[in-house]
Amino acid sequence: MNIKTVGIVGAGQMGNGIAHVMSLAGYDVMLNDISGDALAGAMATIDRNLERQVSREKISADDKSAALARIHTTQTLPDLGQTDLVIEAATERETIKQAIFEDLLPHLQPHTILTSNTSSISITRLASRTDRPEKFMGFHFMNPVPVMQLVELIRGIATDAETFDACAAVVEKLGKTAATAEDFPAFIVNRILMPMINEAVYTLYEGVGSVKSIDSSMRLGANHPMGPLELADFIGLDTCLAIMNVLHDGLADTKYRPCPLLTKYVEAGWLGRKSQRGFYDYRGETPVPTR
């Protein structure tokens, strides 16, 4: 199948990044969100990020103009029904994702492939609630999308070879690398990454180290580009907690129990960078540890 048009549900951090790389690779993009402000913000972010690539001479000014011209926005979800590939990039809550696919189904073309950018939820279960489980799979980009080179491709139990091959071809056209993951909780990257972040929160919770010492230790002692608590703030503490809950519920192993301190921060609304407070306070000129 030759994919030419891509529909993206959700204009947040992941959705606008996916729209950016898809349009730059030559795909016509229809970007959807329920919020007009979110769509305007997404277009401003894409413009800014493309301009950064122009200034670094990674793309030309003409490339930027052409990419922006390929992106169309809509607050009407059924408008995505005419695209060849739909990538859902909404909030990491299964009920929301299921509702989106349910609303989309009556408007899809017979050949349209449905995918989810979920970082942890069962692809097989999401697919089973649609009319095309064989044309459904996981299409998991890493954040920030324009920078990160990996895409996890996750087959559900019913995903057919044609669908997988079509999505793998898209990844190749984007100039990124695909990693094939089986449909088990959190797939590969988050199966390994999130328990490390959760353990860093336990290390803070138990008083073994401060925010600063934990992050410095992993940056300087393990050569990580970003400390685990800083990374958790970047990802979003609500997303980290949601993935840990998926791991804990799906694998029934106590080693995946979310740290109570992580839960407490989410309950407080301290979700990281997006809410200006998490393990660091971002309201001043420089981030300040909150513990």
Side-chain angles (χ1 to χ4, degrees), residues 77-154:
L77 186 64
D79 289 350
L80 272 58
Q82 297 307 303
T83 60
D84 301 321
L85 168 68
V86 173
I87 302 173
E88 171 274 313
T91 306
E92 190 69 356
R93 284 173 54 189
E94 189 165 348
T95 52
I96 290 174
K97 294 178 186 296
Q98 287 175 343
I100 287 167
F101 290 126
E102 192 174 303
D103 289 347
L104 262 176
L105 289 179
H107 309 284
L108 297 176
Q109 299 181 88
H111 72 268
T112 300
I113 293 173
L114 286 178
T115 68
S116 176
N117 185 56
T118 177
S119 50
S120 61
I121 297 168
S122 168
I123 298 302
T124 297
R125 195 164 61 239
L126 287 173
S128 72
R129 301 287 293 271
T130 74
D131 63 353
R132 59 193 69 205
E134 72 287 347
K135 291 188 177 298
F136 193 109
M137 62 181 293
F139 209 139
H140 181 213
F141 288 85
M142 305 296 126
N143 186 30
V145 179
V147 175
M148 302 297 277
Q149 290 301 302
L150 185 75
V151 180
E152 283 183 319
L153 293 180
I154 306 104

Side-chain angles (χ1 to χ4, degrees), residues 23-58:
S23 63
L24 201 54
Y27 294 102
D28 288 320
V29 174
M30 181 68 73
L31 180 61
N32 163 263
D33 200 283
I34 57 173
S35 164
D37 289 343
L39 289 170
M43 292 306 298
T45 298
I46 294 167
D47 187 299
R48 189 166 59 248
N49 289 339
L50 285 167
E51 186 57 39
R52 186 179 294 119
Q53 288 180 298
V54 172
S55 67
R56 293 176 180 174
E57 299 184 347
K58 292 188 174 181

Side-chain angles (χ1 to χ4, degrees), residues 155-290:
R155 287 187 181 93
I157 197 168
T159 306
D160 63 25
E162 183 184 15
T163 298
F164 179 85
D165 290 344
C167 290
V170 171
V171 176
E172 186 175 355
K173 189 172 178 181
L174 295 177
K176 296 187 182 295
T177 300
T180 305
E182 294 301 314
D183 185 23
F184 290 100
F187 320 129
I188 296 171
V189 173
N190 284 314
R191 173 74 177 266
I192 297 166
L193 176 64
M194 285 302 157
M196 184 199 77
I197 287 175
N198 194 51
E199 194 62 30
V201 183
Y202 266 115
T203 306
L204 178 66
Y205 176 62
E206 293 168 5
V208 179
S210 65
V211 169
K212 184 178 179 181
S213 62
I214 291 166
D215 277 352
S216 295
S217 294
M218 294 308 291
R219 280 200 313 270
L220 304 177
N223 207 28
H224 290 191
M226 192 182 292
L229 301 176
E230 184 186 2
L231 179 58
D233 275 358
F234 181 75
I235 293 167
L237 304 193
D238 52 340
T239 300
C240 294
L241 179 59
I243 295 170
M244 287 309 303
N245 280 326
V246 166
L247 279 165
H248 191 230
D249 295 344
L251 298 172
D253 192 322
T254 55
K255 73 180 180 180
Y256 299 115
R257 182 172 70 98
C259 179
L261 184 60
L262 177 60
T263 302
K264 191 65 66 182
Y265 268 68
V266 173
E267 287 175 346
W270 291 19
L271 308 180
R273 286 182 177 270
K274 63 186 172 185
S275 66
Q276 296 282 287
R277 278 192 290 187
F279 293 113
Y280 293 85
D281 188 325
Y282 300 93
R283 293 174 297 174
E285 287 187 18
T286 57
V288 179
T290 54

